[in-house]
Amino acid sequence: MMKNVWSKSYFRYLLFPFGLVYGLISNLVRLSYLLGFRKVWRAPVPVVVIGNITVGGNGKTPLVIWLVLALQRYGLQIGVVLRGYKGKGGTYPFLVTRDTQAHQAGDEAVLIYQRTKAVVGVAPLRKKAIEAVLSHSAVDIIITDDGLQHYALARDIEIIVIDGERRFGNGWWLPVGPMRELKSRLDNVTVIIANGGRSLPGELTMHLMPGLAVNLKSGQRKPVKELDNIIAIAGIGNPERFFNTLHKHGVKPLKTISFSDHQSYDSLSLNELTSYGQILLMTEKDAVKVRSFSEAHWWYLPVDAALSSVATKQLLAIIFRVIPSVS
């Protein structure tokens, strides 16, 4: 379904009535908070929402990691909250630790913690996640991965990540197109960042840069182009971006296999994908889900968000304005 909403097929327009219903409900929900009919909770520290107005694979989580690390370099204490999509943590809210598994907290939460060691709180209600973070540590700012449409939470800054290649598809609401909210929503956000592709005036530009490939079993690192006989898999919002990254860096997999975002894996099914002498190469987001039963021929390719020095200064200047300790 996630992939189909980007389709250019005219048959999608048969779903137009459902798109109108989705849009009506979405607008009514937002309006109910704007007019005060529903209560908005404000955290005692600044809140930055990094979200999008389309579904699937825009690059929010790499940007969250980039921003957390950038702010940590200034000595700031950062809290991150997520709803824990596809996680089955049992009792919410809870804080991610080094022992937390992806099936408990969701793959993004575990990935962010492993990369940043920030205080990461998980709960379907982000208010509860923020309260858990604040009860654990005095943080200077909260960053929420996704949650643009979670209007019960007041936010000081809204950062929208756009897929610079796919942009907005046909521009229609789900399920006719990929839109959670229409493009006009961008008129009211703080920052727009285009990930890859083309950016328009007023948008900051971001790219995803691959690092060294990492062996899941041994931790060995090497340039990805040095790997041979690769079967590449990706269970992310936009698998083609991962496969295109491989091609751009001189890697030609024997086969590429796409899975749905947040796909669950098991050792048996993954081992069936490769034959003797072949390497299974996956995204870092997939790797956090399989680390506990990894095999010696499994590798992953981490990627990092990269912003120009100008974009970095502009974005951090906006963030610093809402943090009392640095403003």
Side-chain angles (χ1 to χ4, degrees), residues 19-315:
L20 288 179
V21 172
Y22 180 95
L24 176 62
I25 294 174
S26 175
N27 284 334
L28 287 176
V29 168
R30 182 170 181 241
L31 191 61
S32 68
Y33 285 106
L34 291 175
L35 296 178
F37 295 131
R38 302 175 75 175
K39 189 175 181 181
V40 177
W41 181 77
R42 178 167 289 280
V45 295
V47 171
V48 176
V49 171
I50 297 181
N52 55 32
I53 59 173
T54 61
V55 295
N58 290 4
K60 297 187 312 299
T61 299
L63 181 62
V64 169
I65 293 171
W66 179 93
L67 184 56
V68 171
L69 294 175
L71 295 175
Q72 286 175 338
R73 286 193 284 271
Y74 285 87
L76 297 171
Q77 299 299 313
I78 316 299
V80 181
V81 299
L82 309 90
R83 65 168 174 155
Y85 186 75
K86 288 290 182 79
K88 297 180 175 64
T91 302
Y92 293 100
F94 72 88
L95 299 178
V96 177
T97 70
R98 66 179 184 177
D99 298 319
T100 302
Q101 300 296 312
H103 71 268
Q104 298 173 297
D107 40 32
E108 287 108 340
V110 174
L111 175 56
I112 291 169
Y113 176 80
Q114 289 181 352
R115 281 289 206 101
T116 68
K117 298 303 184 287
V119 185
V120 179
V122 177
L125 293 177
R126 287 173 178 82
K127 172 187 175 183
K128 298 296 183 183
I130 292 175
E131 290 174 338
V133 168
L134 295 178
S135 68
H136 177 273
S137 179
V139 301
D140 297 295
I141 192 169
I142 293 287
I143 298 174
T144 170
D145 185 340
D146 210 356
L148 180 68
Q149 289 78 33
H150 185 69
Y151 291 113
L153 175 64
R155 64 288 306 264
D156 299 271
I157 292 173
E158 291 180 332
I159 300 173
I160 306 304
V161 183
I162 295 172
D163 185 323
E165 296 177 351
R166 299 187 297 183
R167 300 294 294 186
F168 308 107
N170 61 16
W172 286 96
W173 283 301
L174 293 164
V176 185
M179 308 300 290
R180 294 176 174 179
E181 298 182 87
L182 295 187
K183 186 180 175 182
S184 57
R185 177 67 173 85
L186 298 178
D187 296 335
N188 305 113
V189 304
T190 317
V191 181
I192 304 170
I193 297 179
N195 176 20
R198 59 188 177 90
S199 59
L200 300 181
E203 299 176 354
L204 302 182
T205 301
M206 174 182 107
H207 297 281
L208 296 180
M209 301 296 294
L212 296 175
V214 183
N215 185 278
L216 273 146
K217 197 72 171 179
S218 67
Q220 178 187 1
R221 297 170 182 267
K222 64 169 60 177
V224 68
K225 64 181 180 181
E226 294 183 8
L227 300 178
D228 296 316
N229 299 319
I230 291 172
I231 303 297
I233 68 170
I236 57 178
N238 183 8
E240 289 304 315
R241 174 178 280 131
F242 177 64
F243 303 142
N244 290 338
T245 296
L246 296 180
H247 285 291
K248 288 177 183 177
H249 288 80
V251 180
K252 296 181 179 180
L254 301 174
K255 187 177 182 181
T256 59
I257 304 172
S258 300
F259 292 100
S260 61
D261 199 9
H262 308 286
Q263 173 76 31
S264 296
Y265 301 109
D266 61 78
S267 179
L268 179 61
S269 61
L270 286 182
N271 274 319
E272 289 177 343
L273 299 178
T274 56
S275 302
Y276 179 77
Q278 292 179 339
I279 286 174
L280 188 67
L281 179 64
M282 63 189 72
T283 71
E284 187 176 15
K285 186 175 170 181
D286 291 313
V288 300
K289 294 179 285 190
V290 305
R291 193 178 299 276
S292 62
F293 53 87
S294 60
E295 301 283 351
H297 64 291
W298 295 3
W299 293 70
Y300 71 88
L301 183 65
V303 295
D304 294 298
L307 282 74
S308 70
S309 59
V310 173
T312 297
K313 289 179 182 178
Q314 290 178 351
L315 182 55

